[in-house]
């Protein structure tokens, strides 16, 4: 029996693990979890269970996070911990730490660079009414989407990555006049 959750739903979940994507020199943690109502939730308790019961999901997910910016002109992403998924205990400790930092930010006494006005944390010194929030939004210029990324001049440098082999997924082919991560990734032999 297949089971689906509607997109953008808040549900009770079970934390399984995390991978550390490095984005603009900052760690962008990607947490993997499962809805507790999912039929597989009972058998998945840690990242190793995902490897065992859903072979290929974690490497495919890592590949997605490595490559997802490339089609729009971005670079390949890199990872902390050599691209290895970390388990449930590590993830729970990480979430506890980052939640503590968020609470400190939300409850700080003085204004900082990050806007912390909010409508849902009544105990915060920066709690505002919904009307005040709407007024803040209205005081800003309307959103204007940026120009679309133009298609490449040649399909020669477009990357299509299909995972059919174990790591390494690809080898870098250096192009003349191009350095580092802007080079082409081709399947390894």
């Amino acid at each position: 029996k297949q089971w689906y959750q509607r997109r953008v739903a808040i549900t009770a979940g079970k934390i399984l693990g995390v991978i550390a994507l490095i984005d603009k020199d900052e760690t962008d943690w990607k947490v993997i979890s499962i809805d507790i109502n999912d039929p597989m939730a009972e058998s998945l308790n840690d990242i190793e269970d995902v490897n065992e019961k859903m072979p290929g999901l974690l490497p495919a997910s890592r590949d997605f996070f490595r490559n997802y910016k490339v089609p729009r002109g971005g670079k390949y992403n890199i990872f902390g911990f050599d691209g290895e998924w970390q388990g449930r205990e590590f993830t729970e400790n990480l979430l506890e730490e980052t939640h503590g930092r968020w609470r400190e930010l939300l409850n700080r006494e003085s204004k900082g660079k990050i806007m912390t006005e909010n409508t849902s944390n009544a105990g915060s010194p920066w709690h505002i009414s919904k009307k005040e929030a709407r007024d803040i939004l209205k005081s800003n210029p309307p959103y204007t989407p940026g120009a679309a990324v133009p298609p490449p001049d040649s399909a020669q440098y477009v990357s299509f990555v299909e995972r059919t082999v174990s790591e390494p997924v690809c080898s870098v082919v250096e192009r003349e006049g191009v350095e580092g991560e802007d080079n082409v990734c081709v399947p390894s032999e």
Side-chain angles (χ1 to χ4, degrees):
K1 177 183 174 186
Q2 290 191 337
W3 178 89
Y4 298 94
Q5 181 56 264
R6 60 176 246 255
R7 215 166 90 175
V8 192
I10 297 174
T11 63
K14 186 192 298 186
I15 297 164
L16 301 172
V18 68
I19 194 165
L21 183 134
I22 310 299
D23 189 4
K24 297 178 185 164
D25 295 326
E26 293 183 350
T27 308
D28 183 2
W29 298 102
K30 303 299 184 184
V31 176
I32 188 167
S33 63
I34 188 165
D35 187 305
I36 61 170
N37 297 310
D38 188 294
M40 290 194 71
E42 262 186 56
S43 64
L44 299 175
N45 296 298
D46 207 327
I47 205 71
E48 287 309 316
D49 296 332
V50 178
N51 257 339
E52 180 185 317
K53 299 191 178 6
M54 304 175 87
L57 177 67
L58 297 178
S61 298
R62 182 181 53 239
D63 287 352
F64 168 78
F65 289 126
R66 177 185 299 128
N67 303 322
Y68 78 98
K69 293 180 182 177
V70 173
R72 298 190 76 188
K75 295 181 179 182
Y76 291 96
N77 287 316
I78 59 172
F79 300 94
F81 300 105
D82 295 322
E84 295 296 320
W85 289 86
Q86 304 302 302
R88 180 179 184 160
E89 182 179 354
F90 178 95
T91 309
E92 287 175 343
N93 290 335
L94 172 73
L95 292 174
E96 185 68 32
E97 179 184 334
T98 55
H99 183 67
R101 288 184 186 165
W102 173 81
R103 277 197 316 256
E104 288 173 10
L105 177 69
L106 195 61
N107 292 305
R108 68 181 180 211
E109 293 299 320
S110 60
K111 206 104 163 106
K113 291 181 184 178
I114 298 174
M115 189 175 188
T116 53
E117 286 84 347
N118 68 86
T119 60
S120 58
N121 294 283
S124 165
W126 308 106
H127 183 261
I128 61 175
S129 70
K130 290 182 180 177
K131 181 191 178 316
E132 289 172 301
R134 280 191 295 274
D135 290 345
I136 290 171
L137 291 174
K138 287 178 186 173
S139 72
N140 287 291
Y143 171 71
T144 305
V149 176
D153 294 332
S154 166
Q156 177 181 358
Y157 301 118
V158 176
S159 298
F160 299 94
V161 179
E162 180 178 336
R163 175 174 270 287
T164 57
V165 296
S166 59
E167 295 286 334
V169 175
C170 58
S171 300
V172 174
V173 174
E174 294 189 11
R175 301 183 316 203
E176 189 176 319
V178 177
E179 294 182 28
E181 294 177 10
D182 288 330
N183 283 295
V184 179
C185 185
V186 296
S188 298
E189 304 215 359

